[in-house]
Amino acid sequence: IVPITCKICGGFKMKTNILVEYDGGGYSGCIWEWNYFYIDEDGKFEDIMSSGRGGITTLENAKYLLENNGNDFSDKVFVYHLDDKKDMKTFATESNCCNIEGVINWFNKYNSPIAEPFAICSDCKCDMPDADEIYLTDIHGCGGIMSTADNLLCSECYSSGICNCCDEYAGKNDLFYLVNYTVENEYMNKAAKKMETDGYLDVCSGCLDCQAGQIEQDEHGDLLFQSLSTGKPDLFAGEMRWFWL
Ligand SMILES: [Zn+2]
Ligand SMILES: [Zn+2]
Ligand SMILES: [Zn+2]
């Protein structure tokens, strides 16, 4: 999206009510490499995030960046018109999740009825204009103290991905529905049965593994006691093989 030039003099005409995303020249390979500013409907400059040597903090530098579609530090500039739903959808799908949330949070505080960017839920694809309702998931480090997220979820999708047992977000790929749960591992099945009986509906693999391990340990303890006290099963029998491993 290229800024418009004046029809009369051919000079650069500042677009207004735009969100500008540019490469600030800092933290290469990490999320805060992307910087943002906003030009409001009256042409006023607002710095949303600026970092690195190329961080822009004045209207003059913002104009220079837009006129030249870059500057000494940045050759990647994206302009999103806040009144254009298509532009804002592009912002919500192409930008880094943490930055989307950060930008929306800034606009929530700025509180202008004509400047309301939104995020899109990674699961159900609903629009999320409120930063408080956005949940970042699949967070992983990205060098140094920085971290980034791969998913943005609405509160409904987020809560449906929470493990009933540890209350942590697990996501649908790591969450097991316990009703009629069957796998080859007998301890896993016993664990699922027990947790279902305990009143859980969806649990994460970590909790299920932990429960299965607990059951296995308990059963082995009982079996060992029985073997040592009664001689049945024999300590060298096949079913006591785990004891010797
Ligand atoms: Zn002109
Ligand atoms: Zn959703
Ligand atoms: Zn869990």
Side-chain angles (χ1 to χ4, degrees):
I1 305 146
V2 186
I4 289 169
T5 47
C6 173
K7 274 183 186 148
I8 300 155
C9 70
F12 175 73
K13 204 172 158 215
M14 189 72 157
K15 286 290 276 175
T16 59
N17 198 22
I18 52 169
L19 168 67
V20 180
E21 181 177 50
Y22 64 99
D23 173 354
Y27 309 108
S28 180
C30 203
I31 56 161
W32 297 109
E33 186 184 20
W34 288 102
N35 285 196
Y36 296 86
F37 62 78
Y38 172 57
I39 304 294
D40 80 0
E41 69 273 31
D42 302 320
K44 207 169 128 257
F45 171 85
E46 299 279 356
D47 183 11
I48 299 175
M49 301 180 199
S50 58
S51 68
R53 292 179 304 159
I56 289 170
T57 53
T58 64
L59 178 62
E60 205 188 344
N61 290 340
K63 273 185 175 159
Y64 182 90
L65 181 87
L66 291 168
E67 274 183 52
N68 299 286
N69 202 27
N71 60 23
D72 290 349
F73 305 102
S74 178
D75 57 357
K76 295 183 198 79
V77 182
F78 299 97
V79 179
Y80 306 101
H81 299 80
L82 278 135
D83 53 12
D84 183 338
K85 183 131 188 183
K86 229 181 106 199
D87 269 17
M88 296 324 293
K89 204 175 164 176
T90 305
F91 164 71
T93 40
E94 305 283 315
S95 302
N96 174 287
C97 291
C98 293
N99 288 347
I100 293 170
E101 200 252 2
V103 166
I104 291 172
N105 192 34
W106 186 89
F107 277 99
N108 286 169
K109 289 192 182 105
Y110 185 74
N111 197 21
S112 158
I114 59 158
E116 294 180 319
F118 54 88
I120 297 172
C121 174
S122 308
D123 268 6
C124 73
K125 311 295 174 202
C126 73
D127 289 356
M128 305 181 288
D130 186 352
D132 291 343
E133 300 278 297
I134 298 172
Y135 294 84
L136 295 168
T137 63
D138 301 297
I139 293 168
H140 51 80
C142 102
I145 54 160
M146 297 295 178
S147 63
T148 186
D150 287 338
N151 277 309
L152 291 162
L153 296 180
C154 70
S155 51
E156 241 173 82
C157 290
Y158 180 78
S159 52
S160 71
I162 289 176
C163 167
N164 292 168
C165 181
C166 65
D167 291 327
E168 295 284 330
Y169 176 81
K172 50 185 176 189
N173 294 330
D174 192 42
L175 207 61
F176 297 93
Y177 181 61
L178 294 176
V179 178
N180 299 324
Y181 176 90
T182 35
V183 286
E184 273 193 28
N185 186 305
E186 63 167 309
Y187 296 110
M188 291 293 267
N189 290 334
K190 283 176 181 170
K193 266 279 152 301
K194 180 177 188 316
M195 294 183 96
E196 192 190 344
T197 312
D198 289 347
Y200 299 121
L201 201 59
D202 297 290
V203 298
C204 72
S205 60
C207 287
L208 196 60
D209 274 346
C210 177
Q211 183 66 257
Q214 195 67 54
I215 292 174
E216 184 173 2
Q217 207 183 327
D218 288 351
E219 286 191 7
H220 284 174
D222 291 349
L223 208 58
L224 182 62
F225 179 77
Q226 204 187 305
S227 172
L228 293 175
S229 52
T230 68
K232 264 188 176 111
D234 189 276
L235 205 51
F236 298 98
E239 59 185 304
M240 293 303 289
R241 198 169 165 268
W242 55 267
F243 179 72
W244 302 99
L245 291 177

